[in-house]
Amino acid sequence: MLTPRGGQAPALRLGETKSMFTPRIAPSMLASDFTRFGEEVTRIVAAGADLLHFDVMDGDFVPYFAISPMTIAALRQTTDVPFDVHIMVTRPRRYIDALATAGANLITFHIESADAPEAVIKAIHARGVKAGVALSPDTSIEAVLPYLSQLDLVLPMSVEPGRGGQTFQPGALEKIARLRQRIDEQNLDVEISADGGVTPEIAPLAVQRGATILVAGTAIFRSPHPELVVKQLRQA
Ligand code: DX5
Ligand code: ZN
């Protein structure tokens, strides 16, 4: 369900302006109107979302709270669109069963968290869910390379985790390119997601370097025409 359309993304070719790969678009529900969450899901699925991105926080790994497994379980009743759950928590292992039961299709935890990555990946896969690892902006890709062959997705974050509405940090682009090179060298089927400050202007830069999923909160939800933004992001 989460395999890239048309196989692996191409590596960046200099001078290439348009990617040969169509990314999947994952609106980040953190930017939606929390007073009418269910309607926001329906609205954004109608606007063309390929996945829905949910941010889970524990008030410890990041000093905020966001969306809970209970909320995700409730929203699971409203749509069949895959749920891409990004957990910014110190102890990811503790959350896996609740999130799998809630209906997550993909769970992405942070490599900077306190649990052993192999154990978390194993726990996610044991529940039949895809496993991803996220890196905060100050973390180098070397931290995740040992786990690449066990993963379904890598997310090199382009903002500090915890809040929407921040500006894209361009350092993420080089990380995407280097991760894509490693993934392709090893002939692996690992997606790369861009998350944080993604706009229609940023999208082609990320996709040309090998991103296959684009997460966008502010750009989509603050627009009067989210369906156009989803389309523009997809045409990266
Ligand atoms: C930040 C979250 C993002 C955030 C993206 O910690 O992981 O998913 O909602 O929001 P924008 O697109 O506004 O940067
Ligand atoms: Zn996120």
Side-chain angles (χ1 to χ4, degrees):
M1 201 190 286
L2 287 155
T3 318
R5 286 191 205 116
Q8 290 182 344
L12 172 65
R13 291 183 188 85
L14 289 175
E16 189 175 73
T17 53
K18 189 168 163 52
S19 169
M20 296 147 61
F21 184 81
T22 302
R24 284 184 302 153
I25 310 304
S28 178
M29 297 306 298
L30 193 62
S32 69
D33 180 349
F34 276 34
T35 64
R36 44 195 193 95
F37 227 165
E39 291 161 44
E40 287 288 79
V41 165
T42 306
R43 180 170 78 95
I44 227 63
V45 168
D50 297 301
L51 313 165
L52 292 178
H53 184 91
F54 292 97
D55 291 303
V56 173
M57 307 179 197
D58 64 353
D60 184 50
F61 184 79
V62 291
Y64 310 100
F65 294 100
I67 301 166
S68 75
M70 279 173 74
T71 308
I72 293 171
L75 296 172
R76 184 73 284 179
Q77 314 301 314
T78 68
T79 180
D80 290 333
V81 167
F83 282 4
D84 164 27
V85 181
H86 174 195
I87 56 173
M88 286 157 269
V89 301
T90 301
R91 290 284 184 184
R93 177 68 190 82
R94 293 179 186 161
Y95 292 72
I96 304 310
D97 280 329
L99 290 168
T101 302
N105 300 91
L106 167 71
I107 299 173
T108 298
F109 67 98
H110 272 260
I111 196 71
E112 304 88 3
S113 66
D115 291 337
E118 286 102 338
V120 185
I121 295 167
K122 246 188 183 167
I124 296 172
H125 282 157
R127 292 296 309 261
V129 175
K130 303 258 185 186
V133 160
L135 301 77
S136 294
D138 287 344
T139 303
S140 82
I141 70 155
E142 277 65 30
V144 302
L145 294 180
Y147 311 105
L148 264 192
S149 64
Q150 303 166 47
L151 290 169
D152 302 293
L153 177 139
V154 181
L155 166 50
M157 286 200 68
S158 40
V159 297
E160 288 303 327
R163 287 183 300 110
Q166 302 176 71
T167 304
F168 183 89
Q169 296 184 21
L173 293 173
E174 197 202 330
K175 287 187 185 175
I176 293 171
R178 291 180 57 219
L179 282 164
R180 174 52 59 198
Q181 191 184 358
R182 295 301 186 111
I183 290 165
D184 289 354
E185 274 169 11
Q186 296 176 55
N187 209 18
L188 300 172
D189 189 11
V190 182
E191 299 223 41
I192 300 177
S193 187
D195 181 14
V198 174
T199 62
E201 292 72 36
I202 299 286
L205 305 176
V207 174
Q208 282 160 18
R209 284 161 178 79
T212 54
I213 295 177
L214 301 177
V215 177
T218 305
I220 292 175
F221 283 97
R222 295 291 174 269
S223 166
H225 301 293
E227 69 287 353
L228 291 183
V229 180
V230 168
K231 215 169 165 187
Q232 288 169 347
L233 290 166
R234 197 178 280 126
Q235 282 166 356

